[in-house]
Amino acid sequence: MSGHNHGACDSHTDGVFGKRTELIFSVLSGVFLLIGFLLQQFSELKFLFVLIPFLLSYFLGGYYTAKEAIHEISKARFEIDFLMLVAAIGAAFLDKWAEGGLLLFLFSLGHALEHLAMDKAQKSIEALTNLAPKQALKKIDGQFQEVDLNDLEVGDILRVRPNSTVPADSILIHGRTTINQASITGESIPVDKLAIEGQDIDIYAIDSIPDKYRAFAGTINGDATIELKVIRKAEDSTLSRLIEMVQQAQDKKSPTQLLTDKFEKFYVPAVLILILILNFAFIVLDEPWSASFYRSMAALVAASPCALAISTPSAVLSGIARAARGGVLFKGGKPLEDLGTLTTLAFDKTGTLTEGNPKLTDVVLLNNTSEEQLLSEVVALESSSNHPLAKAIVRDGEMKLPQNYELPQLSTSEAIQGKGITGDINGKSISIGNLELFQDGESPDNEIAHQISRLEQAGKTTMLVKSGTQFVGILGLMDVPRKSAKPTLMRLKQLGIKEMLMLTGDNQFVADAVANDIGITEAYGSLLPEEKVSKIREFSSVNKKVAMIGDGVNDAPAMANSTVGIAMGAAGSDVALETADIALMADKLEVLPFAIGLSRKAHTIVKQNLWISLGVVALLLPATIFGWANIGIAVVFHEGSTLVVVLNALRLLAYKSP
């Protein structure tokens, strides 16, 4: 039951009965074994007729084992599949067909169960491909036609409709829009994008293109129809790379698995030498060679570390499969084992602990204006805009106004890109925007400028409101903590996480405000990406193990330097996903306690499996050498222990967050 049996994994994928061929072969092997045993015990038939079901049992139970053994021998490796075949052939040589058949049946059943766990993991991952847009609107001979995403080439012109996903990394060539790119950059407020008009831009020098012209694959277009030029093929998108990463995860072994693999390398040849020596026991003992040979075959079964070889990979695969079903991607056995041992977590703020969406948090009244009057005019004007900040003001402003309140009549409105919006309400001009909007007219006085500065220092996005000739109010918008943040952090504390730290590029005021609200142990603000790395290294030197949880490009270096890097959201930045060891697929912070709990459970099951497998070998080997146990007993205990560790590992598939 080799932990590195990729040959078997490949060979079992398709067969006479499709993907379940290996399991069906194994069950049929058991059926023919039972028929042969019953005929041998209770019928008067000639042995030739009894032999037929045994031969069928041998063929069906040994088919994939032989395939794997041949694959390994061709690479000059003698592994457990080979030992099992030798033992089964040896049993047949001694006319112990039932015992040999039982060995191959139980061995193949264990193999099949291992592969079922692998398939479950694969299916969970294949479901991800459904998240990617399948088609794009490409310009062909002046007309936009739907084409398959994989047919896109660098330089193709695409049209993206309002509120649609951008299909590939591109630059804007026509139209203006705001794009929600929180999934890529971690910015909490959607970004204004402009078309490159009449500029000579090298689309192959991607990094030199200013961000204001770029649209990333997987980001969400605002309410405008835009045209884009592709700068990266669709197959380089986040999702396709994500699926590729999971397939690679199956090859990344856990520390325990690497240890057992190393042990097997020396153990298997040692077993073969022992079996050879036992064959000559008849020289020393008063017994025929057939008795020595039988003892050596029984010892071979007892000493084969099937349960040991499968104990870790079966637990790792079951853990990865269960995690994928729960919306968590573990990239291999190492992060699965490591996560459960951590007591320190470091979080990025924007989009990780906060929603990544603006909320209207402050309404400052100026020049004796009432809140009702200010908000009614603001909501009336902003209702005509599709800008994300305008939508936030309308949504939150309406909630502050009395129910069934009638908004004043808006006659005209004009959006000024990057500055704000102006309009006329009941013959009076209204303007809402940043300080740049009011540069040409009368500037706000020092008191107003001071209030704006105070809000901005607290991490707020500010908008000044002018009604007629007077400044009547200041609006403050901020990215607020996720609703799930506080209960999740409390849950993590209950799980035994001692320190929860926040590392953010936002100023210290914002960091402290969010930290106090949700229960972060310590907050560090105004950090550049390299300063986040320094902090992680600092924690690591004290606590040895620390996980970094983030979602943006600026979190990737810190993730790479942590014990375990955790990326928020499958649509997170490409760099963060590449660097992270674990991805929270649905961008849900609340699945973090589940991931930690699952990791701890997997770690426990791996340890249990190692004790079971080594314990059985330690008991059985002396018992067979000294003749206290025959092949039948050795097979039942040995293969029984293999099934026990597989079934124990499969318990992870039913894991529920405590």
Side-chain angles (χ1 to χ4, degrees):
M1 200 74 56
S2 171
H4 21 253
N5 49 17
H6 292 293
C9 291
D10 296 336
S11 61
H12 89 287
T13 48
D14 273 315
V16 192
F17 303 106
K19 291 200 172 185
R20 296 199 169 233
T21 304
E22 189 176 18
L23 183 64
I24 292 165
F25 269 30
S26 174
V27 171
L28 288 173
S29 167
V31 170
F32 285 116
L33 170 66
L34 184 64
I35 292 167
F37 177 74
L38 293 173
L39 289 175
Q40 191 178 36
Q41 295 298 317
F42 306 108
S43 80
E44 303 290 320
L45 288 170
K46 282 184 182 176
F47 183 68
L48 184 67
F49 294 108
V50 176
L51 188 62
I52 292 166
F54 280 138
L55 286 171
L56 286 168
S57 175
Y58 257 64
F59 171 77
L60 293 162
Y63 179 77
Y64 284 102
T65 308
K67 212 168 180 183
E68 174 62 11
I70 292 161
H71 175 77
E72 292 301 334
I73 290 165
S74 69
K75 295 183 176 179
R77 290 201 297 250
F78 292 93
E79 291 186 356
I80 297 159
D81 305 78
F82 174 71
L83 300 186
M84 291 295 97
L85 272 183
V86 170
I89 292 163
F93 183 73
L94 292 167
D95 272 347
K96 304 281 183 183
W97 289 93
E99 290 172 355
L102 181 66
L103 173 62
L104 289 175
F105 159 59
L106 291 174
F107 187 69
S108 63
L109 185 64
H111 241 317
L113 286 173
E114 181 190 356
H115 294 145
L116 271 184
M118 171 86 86
D119 287 341
K120 275 181 184 282
Q122 283 285 64
K123 279 189 186 117
S124 300
I125 305 315
E126 281 163 15
L128 291 175
T129 52
N130 300 329
L131 300 175
K134 296 286 183 287
Q135 289 176 311
L137 282 173
K138 175 182 164 181
K139 196 172 194 177
I140 302 169
D141 300 329
Q143 299 291 316
F144 284 97
Q145 295 173 25
E146 278 205 345
V147 296
D148 193 85
L149 209 63
N150 297 321
D151 294 340
L152 294 182
E153 297 290 338
V154 172
D156 282 349
I157 308 295
L158 309 180
R159 176 176 283 168
V160 178
R161 295 185 175 122
N163 306 312
S164 299
T165 305
V166 175
D169 282 3
S170 330
I171 50 170
L172 262 76
I173 56 166
H174 185 72
R176 280 181 167 189
T177 191
T178 56
I179 288 184
N180 181 346
Q181 54 183 41
S183 58
I184 300 296
T185 62
E187 289 161 285
S188 56
I189 299 201
V191 182
D192 291 319
K193 296 288 179 180
L194 307 171
I196 297 180
E197 286 165 358
Q199 293 190 44
D200 188 24
I201 293 274
D202 180 5
I203 61 171
Y204 293 96
I206 296 170
D207 292 337
S208 67
I209 302 170
D211 277 352
K212 61 183 176 183
Y213 304 128
R214 289 179 64 178
F216 299 100
T219 55
I220 312 295
N221 180 28
D223 286 336
T225 298
I226 52 173
E227 287 180 20
L228 307 167
K229 182 179 277 191
V230 177
I231 57 174
R232 265 201 198 119
K233 292 174 86 168
E235 67 225 30
D236 299 327
S237 73
T238 307
L239 269 176
S240 54
R241 286 224 310 283
L242 192 73
I243 293 150
E244 195 183 315
M245 281 173 202
V246 180
Q247 283 151 358
Q248 289 166 357
Q250 292 160 5
D251 298 331
K252 288 183 188 169
K253 297 183 177 183
S254 72
T256 314
Q257 200 173 337
L258 290 169
L259 199 67
T260 53
D261 285 357
K262 204 176 276 184
F263 172 72
E264 272 179 56
K265 245 180 215 166
F266 299 103
Y267 183 79
V268 172
V271 168
L272 288 170
I273 292 163
L274 173 69
I275 302 314
L276 200 63
I277 292 166
L278 286 174
N279 263 294
F280 296 98
F282 71 94
I283 297 169
V284 181
L285 301 173
D286 184 20
E287 65 180 17
W289 174 76
S290 61
S292 294
F293 182 68
Y294 183 83
R295 181 190 283 110
S296 72
M297 289 300 103
L300 177 59
V301 173
S304 295
C306 291
L308 178 68
I310 199 174
S311 60
T312 310
S314 58
V316 166
L317 289 168
S318 299
I320 289 172
R322 175 65 190 98
R325 216 169 67 231
V328 180
L329 165 66
F330 280 96
K331 293 194 208 165
K334 191 176 188 305
L336 183 67
E337 281 195 25
D338 283 345
L339 183 63
T341 62
L342 301 174
T343 55
T344 303
L345 302 179
F347 294 87
D348 168 49
K349 181 186 77 73
T350 305
T352 302
L353 293 171
T354 61
E355 289 185 0
N357 291 315
K359 292 265 171 75
L360 181 61
T361 54
D362 297 77
V363 178
V364 179
L365 303 173
L366 306 171
N367 292 319
N368 302 318
T369 309
S370 72
E371 184 171 281
E372 205 169 280
Q373 186 190 344
L374 172 68
L375 287 175
S376 64
E377 291 183 347
V378 164
V379 170
L381 178 56
E382 293 286 23
S383 295
S384 66
S385 170
N386 284 322
H387 194 283
L389 288 178
K391 288 179 175 176
I393 291 167
V394 170
R395 180 195 66 223
D396 299 342
E398 281 179 339
M399 286 172 74
K400 291 176 185 287
L401 286 168
Q403 274 192 326
N404 303 322
Y405 185 85
E406 266 197 47
L407 294 175
Q409 197 65 39
L410 175 73
S411 48
T412 62
S413 74
E414 184 194 354
I416 296 155
Q417 191 78 21
K419 293 181 182 179
I421 188 168
T422 63
D424 285 311
I425 291 176
N426 298 333
K428 184 169 57 172
S429 87
I430 304 288
S431 302
I432 306 168
N434 56 28
L435 287 173
E436 281 183 52
L437 183 65
F438 306 103
Q439 272 175 345
D440 299 338
E442 184 192 340
S443 296
D445 60 32
N446 287 342
E447 176 57 28
I448 293 172
H450 174 71
Q451 296 215 50
I452 289 171
S453 174
R454 182 179 58 80
L455 287 170
E456 285 178 346
Q457 278 178 2
K460 312 282 171 72
T461 299
T462 57
M463 300 178 90
L464 187 56
V465 184
K466 190 176 187 181
S467 178
T469 57
Q470 283 192 317
F471 292 105
V472 291
I474 305 166
L475 306 176
L477 292 103
M478 191 183 175
D479 180 18
V480 296
R482 291 172 182 251
K483 285 193 180 74
S484 61
K486 195 171 184 175
T488 300
L489 295 188
M490 282 176 68
R491 183 81 197 85
L492 290 170
K493 208 171 180 181
Q494 289 163 1
L495 279 171
I497 301 297
K498 293 189 177 79
E499 281 189 286
M500 287 176 279
L501 315 157
M502 183 201 289
L503 309 179
T504 179
D506 272 339
N507 65 53
Q508 194 65 46
F509 298 114
V510 181
D512 289 338
V514 174
N516 294 334
D517 187 8
I518 61 175
I520 281 282
T521 319
E522 214 164 331
Y524 300 89
S526 305
L527 296 179
L528 295 169
E530 57 267 29
E531 290 171 324
K532 287 187 180 183
V533 172
S534 301
K535 281 286 174 200
I536 289 288
R537 285 180 179 159
E538 194 184 305
F539 304 141
S540 299
S541 64
V542 181
N543 301 298
K544 292 192 171 59
K545 289 186 174 181
V546 59
M548 175 70 196
I549 300 115
D551 71 332
V553 170
N554 59 351
D555 305 317
M559 282 182 200
N561 281 275
S562 61
T563 313
V564 178
I566 303 173
M568 287 288 294
S573 91
D574 291 350
V575 182
L577 270 172
E578 286 285 1
T579 318
D581 306 296
I582 301 165
L584 306 184
M585 305 296 291
D587 196 28
K588 285 183 179 174
L589 191 65
E590 55 267 39
V591 297
L592 191 55
F594 158 77
I596 290 172
L598 179 67
S599 171
R600 288 181 181 174
K601 186 74 174 171
H603 195 65
T604 305
I605 282 179
V606 165
K607 279 205 285 199
Q608 287 171 352
N609 282 355
L610 289 177
W611 280 111
I612 292 166
S613 50
L614 289 171
V616 167
V617 171
L619 288 170
L620 271 185
L621 192 54
T624 51
I625 290 172
F626 294 112
W628 304 328
N630 61 24
I631 286 185
I633 292 168
V635 166
V636 169
F637 274 90
H638 173 271
E639 293 304 326
S641 70
T642 303
L643 286 175
V644 166
V645 298
V646 170
L647 294 171
N648 193 32
L650 290 176
R651 282 197 304 137
L652 279 171
L653 292 173
Y655 174 80
K656 285 187 174 66
S657 205

